[in-house]
Structures are given as structure tokens and as C-alpha cells.
Amino acid sequence: MALPFPNDPYLTGYYRPFGAEMDAADLVVEGAIPEELNGTFYRNGPDPAHPPHPDNKYHVFDGDGMIYAIRLADGRAAMRNRYVKTRKYELEKAAGRRLFGVFGNPRFNDPSVNMMDYNTANTHIWPHAGRLYALMEGCPPVALDPATLDTLGSEHFDGTVTGPFTAHPKTDPATGAMHAFGYSAKGPGSTAIRYNIVDAQGRGTHTAFLDQPYASMMHDFALTDRHVVFPCLPVVIDLMRAMQGKPLAAWESDRASHFGIMAKGGDGTGVRWVESDPLFAFHIANSFDDGEDLVIDVAGSRRAPLMPAADGTPADPAASRFTLKRWRIRGNAVHEEQIDGMDLQFPRIDDRWQGRRYRKAFVNGTPRPSPGRVDGFDTIATIDTESGHRDAFNAGDGAYTGEPVFVPRPGSSAEGDGWLLALRWDSLKNESALLILDAQHVSDGPVATIHMPARIPGGFHCSWMPA
Ligand SMILES: [Fe+2]
């Protein structure tokens, strides 16, 4: 007998768990799917299969990973969704209840799962070398079959990935190699970072270790033509604090931010750390070398949302709104400029411009933020990072938009010539759809709206894999 979920903003409304796996062929389409769009849009996000222990508060970063795959071919669309069948998921399915504490907190673990890996695989879905990986930063990637979404198991890339692996790897457009890292690489709360390169054929070819100044929860990193940059920002993991019943990860406002700059492909030595005020970002849009400067564009804030203070005080949503910012590292200083003032998240780019000087950032956000909202983003936009021009589509009252993914137009080599694909939930009609927008004419609205057979809950990151 499955148990009811508690009343929690991340377990109701947009985030109410769906709990079902479906297949649907030939979905209803308004407008026309461009004939050149052949491939699959993937979305990962949390869909907790069971409620946590009554004394253990749920967190939106904690639900079991559910993958949605929306296949486009010859102007038609089909969808499939599947849980990532992690060991955690399978053990809890067999038990018919949750066995792990939230984030694997051992205070709330069933004794049968103590010392086991805690993997929800719920954050990103990333294709590489013909395979598909469900990613959550605390564990190695979980490989999936791109066609069936069957779970194939943990991936260690020839033994080079020995622990946590970021949800935000980068593909170097010059070589096709994937660059990635893992923090807490020598145990939870350790300062060790492991840096990996996986070549275009999927072979693990490089491993290096370095240490960050303190054990930050490092969600993303930067890759340029010449450098990798590890941002150590003040969301700090502290096991001793967790043992006292306080937050495992907390915003420590008295810490500086540090940026570790290393040569691309470096061996972990010669890392130059640059210190700044406590800046924060979950997500980096792009980064590039600009002469001797290093430019990192982010959805940035001055305080991490969704992360309590060390004493457990919740984050003030007004103090932690994200806008599109440029962090310029010049010498030993970090200068911050605002590119766009809209409340936004999930910046993406034309991935062919990864690590290079670029102009197009694709975001979801809202021009009309409300305090205390639960991710009420209703707008998809292309932002010109040089002129600041914003080309935006507002999806209307009651709409919730997800991360946009850019798909280049086949045969075109111009930055941003292609489409943006993003999910929209219409809360007034309780309907979900995949929107396809022309990335150069976003304000014209969707060229196609693909209706889903059921509501798709709020989630995180998306990818496109061409057929
Ligand atoms: Fe992320």
C-alpha cells in the first residue's frame, strides 16, 4: 500500500508527483513541427515515488529521477517517460515505501540501506558518444538506452570516474570530448575535486585531483578554449553540522567566493584561486577567454535560494533572485556586470559556442516575479549578451515554463539559427505541452505546440539528441 504525500509546496501543484510511466504515439500538434527537426528532446526532474519519513522534510532536489523523451520525426511527435531505475528506486519499490532519508540523511535511513550509495539520478540528462546519461551530482552517471529509456547501470568511463560526477558536464566543440568534475570526491564533505575528460568515443582519458578552499556544493563549472574554472561558492557541506541535526548544506554568508582557474586538461597543479565577495550561481550560461580576462556568464545572485543558513533559517526568496550576470575575472579581482535584469534561471546556449565568445543566451524566467513563488517562470527568451536585447515570449497567465534547449537548424552555422524547445504547464487548464519556438523570432510565439497526454511536473534540465 503506497502512502500519501505530505502537504509541501514541492509536492503539490506544479510539482505534484506523477508516479506513472507512459507511452503515447502521434501526439496532437498545433502549428507545424519543422520538417528538419528529427531527434529527441529529453527532460529529467524529480518525481518522488514515496513520501519521506514524517519527521524528514522533503526537498525538491531529492525526488526520484523521471525522464521524459519526446521524439520528433517527419513532423510527428511521440512521448515516453520512465523512472531512472537506480538501486535506491528498486529497493524502495520492492519495500513499497521510502527507505532512505532525504539526501540520504543517515538519521532517517532504514538500517537495511545504511552505507549504500544514495542516487536519485534526477538532475540532468546528457548525451555523449551515442549514449544517454542521467546525472545527479552526488554519484556517477547512470547510463540509459536512448530509445527505450531502459536503465543500463552506473557508468565509470574505464575506471576514471570513481565517485560523484557533476550534473553539468561540458562538451568541447573543438574535440567532442566531455569535460566533467565531481566534488566531495574523497568522501562527503571532503574538499577534493576530481576532474575528468571522456573523449568523443566515450573513453575515459584523463583524471586529475585538486582541492577547493572549503567543501562547497559545486553545481556547475566553466570550460573555455584554454581553461577550466571551478567556482567555490558559499553553499558549504558540513557533516559535523548535519550530525547535530542542522543542515548538511547551508549558505554561509561570511565566506568569500573563490574561483579556481586551471589549464584545460590540467593535472590538478598550478591552480590559480581568485577571491571575491560571496557571489552565487547554480548555473553558468557560457564562459570564454577574453585576452587575459576570463568571462563567466551566469544566472547569478547574492544568496543561494532553497538553501538554509547554517542555523537552519530558510532562504528569503526576495534575496535570492537570479538575473543574467557577467563575472569578469581580471587579475586577482572579479567584476560583476548585469546583462539582463529579468528574474531567470536555466540559461542555455548554442552548444557549438561552448567556451567561445558568444552572443546568445536562452533562458526561462519571468518579468513579473512574486515573492515566495514556487518557480513561477512563464517566459522563454533569447538574450543578446552584448547589446542586452531581449527577445521574449510570455506563455500567459498561469503558465509555467521549463528550461529551453537550443537545436541548430541543419546546415546552418550561424549562432542561434535554430529552435528553442521548452515544456510549458498551463496551470489553469492543467495541461502540458512542448513548445517549439524559432530562436531568432521568439516573441512571435511557438511555431508548434505539442500537447502531452498528461501533466508533466516541474523539473530540471533538458537535452536534444539528433536522430
Ligand atoms: Fe543544474
Side-chain angles (χ1 to χ4, degrees):
M1 183 189 73
L3 299 168
F5 285 87
N7 189 16
D8 180 291
Y10 289 103
L11 292 169
T12 50
Y14 189 34
Y15 283 97
R16 185 162 58 85
F18 186 63
E21 299 182 323
M22 301 181 298
D23 288 275
D26 218 357
L27 301 170
V28 172
V29 179
E30 278 178 80
I33 299 171
E35 290 288 335
E36 307 102 302
L37 267 177
N38 275 290
T40 307
F41 169 91
Y42 295 99
R43 207 287 311 263
N44 198 349
D47 201 314
H50 304 279
H53 185 283
D55 298 331
N56 193 196
K57 187 174 162 48
Y58 178 70
H59 194 287
V60 65
F61 294 169
D62 181 73
D64 298 286
M66 177 81 92
I67 310 298
Y68 286 82
I70 300 166
R71 271 168 233 292
L72 310 181
D74 306 320
R76 297 167 80 170
M79 72 82 69
R80 163 173 291 186
N81 70 307
R82 295 288 185 274
Y83 283 109
V84 185
K85 305 298 183 343
T86 60
R87 192 175 185 204
K88 168 194 182 292
Y89 173 86
E90 294 288 12
L91 287 167
E92 292 179 342
K93 184 180 179 191
R97 66 185 177 89
R98 185 153 177 143
L99 299 173
F100 286 86
V102 171
F103 296 131
N105 183 342
R107 286 179 72 210
F108 297 100
N109 277 355
D110 184 273
S112 68
V113 301
N114 275 339
M115 309 305 290
M116 282 189 193
D117 275 353
Y118 180 76
N119 193 2
T120 53
N122 69 5
T123 313
H124 208 335
I125 182 78
W126 190 260
H128 186 69
R131 295 185 87 177
L132 189 63
Y133 298 100
L135 304 174
M136 187 280 281
E137 65 198 40
C139 282
V142 177
L144 305 177
D145 182 307
T148 63
L149 299 183
D150 288 347
T151 299
L152 304 175
S154 285
E155 174 66 61
H156 299 275
F157 297 111
D158 306 300
T160 58
V161 171
T162 49
F165 188 92
T166 180
H168 290 283
K170 316 278 178 222
T171 303
D172 182 348
T175 62
M178 175 169 67
H179 291 242
F181 73 98
Y183 68 86
S184 285
K186 294 186 176 171
S190 72
T191 56
I193 294 170
R194 192 195 63 258
Y195 167 53
N196 287 104
I197 303 174
V198 178
D199 72 11
Q201 286 71 45
R203 295 174 299 220
T205 54
H206 184 77
T207 308
F209 284 89
L210 61 147
D211 281 288
Q212 54 172 330
Y214 52 83
S216 81
M217 198 190 89
M218 191 180 289
H219 186 64
D220 200 350
F221 78 133
L223 173 72
T224 74
D225 272 348
R226 307 200 311 260
H227 296 102
V228 283
V229 185
F230 300 98
C232 172
L233 313 176
V235 172
V236 186
I237 297 166
D238 187 336
L239 283 183
M240 293 296 287
R241 182 171 59 211
M243 300 295 268
Q244 296 159 8
K246 292 179 184 160
L248 174 62
W251 175 254
E252 296 190 7
S253 58
D254 55 344
R255 299 264 197 183
S257 292
H258 302 260
F259 296 84
I261 304 168
M262 185 173 80
K264 187 164 84 172
D267 66 359
T269 62
V271 182
R272 184 166 76 89
W273 287 95
V274 176
E275 194 175 317
S276 80
D277 295 344
L279 303 173
F280 185 74
F282 280 120
H283 297 122
I284 292 172
N286 202 1
S287 54
F288 57 92
D289 298 294
D290 186 10
E292 293 305 304
D293 292 359
L294 216 152
V295 169
I296 304 176
D297 290 350
V298 297
S301 71
R302 288 288 174 144
R303 193 328 178 177
L306 304 170
M307 289 292 161
D311 64 4
T313 308
D316 171 7
S320 54
R321 53 188 293 270
F322 291 102
T323 57
L324 192 62
K325 292 186 164 76
R326 174 157 290 184
W327 293 343
R328 178 178 292 275
I329 302 176
R330 174 172 290 172
N332 282 318
V334 181
H335 304 272
E336 185 180 67
E337 304 159 22
Q338 180 126 299
I339 298 172
D340 186 290
M342 181 171 73
D343 238 41
L344 52 80
Q345 248 296 12
F346 293 154
R348 297 293 294 263
I349 57 166
D350 180 335
D351 289 325
R352 298 172 297 177
W353 265 257
Q354 167 61 48
R356 301 168 178 182
R357 184 186 293 274
Y358 79 115
R359 283 187 73 155
K360 308 275 185 171
F362 311 115
V363 304
N364 68 334
T366 183
R368 44 182 187 182
S370 57
R373 62 135 206 275
V374 179
D375 291 0
F377 291 157
D378 54 11
T379 297
I380 300 293
T382 295
I383 296 169
D384 184 320
T385 57
E386 287 187 18
S387 72
H389 176 74
R390 185 201 301 158
D391 176 20
F393 169 68
N394 184 284
D397 288 340
Y400 290 66
T401 50
E403 178 178 70
V405 168
F406 175 78
V407 183
R409 190 185 308 276
S412 167
S413 58
E415 185 192 359
D417 183 7
W419 298 278
L420 294 178
L421 276 54
L423 287 170
R424 178 200 66 197
W425 178 54
D426 180 336
S427 65
L428 305 179
K429 295 182 184 165
N430 191 23
E431 286 178 358
S432 290
L434 180 68
L435 308 182
I436 302 175
L437 299 122
D438 183 329
Q440 295 179 309
H441 303 281
V442 176
S443 58
D444 289 354
V447 298
T449 300
I450 305 170
H451 291 274
M452 296 297 123
R455 178 183 62 97
I456 296 182
F460 303 133
H461 297 296
C462 312
S463 284
W464 170 259
M465 189 188 253

